[in-house]
Amino acid sequence: MYQGNEKEEKDLRVFRIWLKATKTVFDNVLEDVKGYGLTPDNFMVLELLYNKGPQYIQTISEKLMIPSGSITYVVNKLEKKELVRKEQESNNRRYWKVTITEKGEALFNEIFPQHAETIGKQLSSLNENQKEQLAELLKIVGLTAKELREKG
């Protein structure tokens, strides 16, 4: 059995707690999303378009960290449901811009308040100051991890 020093043991403990908490919260939010008849990828695309406006498929892929082949499939499914519309760029036919439709916006106007409430319930054990602290701490960890990955 691995016996690390006190710092390593604390790091591993924090990581396990963080992982369990993240999985539990994510699972609860995922159930909420499924309740609207959407996949997590469908929901993320709609949320991005709803909040940030029209986006190119490649941009959606990068922002949501969904492979380009998969994002095309997701967008095509949403288009069949008439929740988004794809428009090919006239000056560069390789680029497709995706826009949320009125039907997609109406759906999101209906479901997003409930979704936000579900997320709020997951964080209800924290006060506003603790939420700010958690956000800052997670940002620090994320940026450090990104730097380490980029250094190789």
Side-chain angles (χ1 to χ4, degrees), residues 24 29 109 123:
T24 303
V29 172
N109 282 333
L123 301 172

Side-chain angles (χ1 to χ4, degrees), residues 26-85:
F26 185 77
D27 287 350
N28 290 347
V29 172
L30 186 60
E31 283 302 310
D32 179 60
V33 168
K34 286 179 182 177
Y36 306 124
L38 298 170
T39 67
D41 289 347
N42 290 163
F43 189 90
M44 289 189 304
V45 170
L46 287 172
E47 182 179 26
L48 176 66
L49 298 174
Y50 181 81
N51 288 309
K52 301 292 184 180
Q55 304 283 318
Y56 290 104
I57 286 182
Q58 184 62 32
T59 305
I60 296 169
S61 173
E62 291 166 4
K63 285 185 177 183
L64 301 180
M65 296 179 282
I66 300 172
S68 59
S70 297
I71 201 63
T72 300
Y73 175 79
V74 171
V75 168
N76 288 343
K77 288 288 193 184
L78 289 170
E79 188 176 38
K80 283 181 183 173
K81 292 180 178 182
E82 300 177 346
L83 299 175
V84 302
R85 178 178 57 257

Side-chain angles (χ1 to χ4, degrees), residues 124-139:
S124 64
S125 60
L126 301 176
N127 64 39
E128 295 309 306
N129 187 43
Q130 290 169 323
K131 290 175 189 177
E132 286 295 324
Q133 289 175 332
L134 179 60
E136 287 304 312
L137 293 171
L138 291 172
K139 194 181 302 182

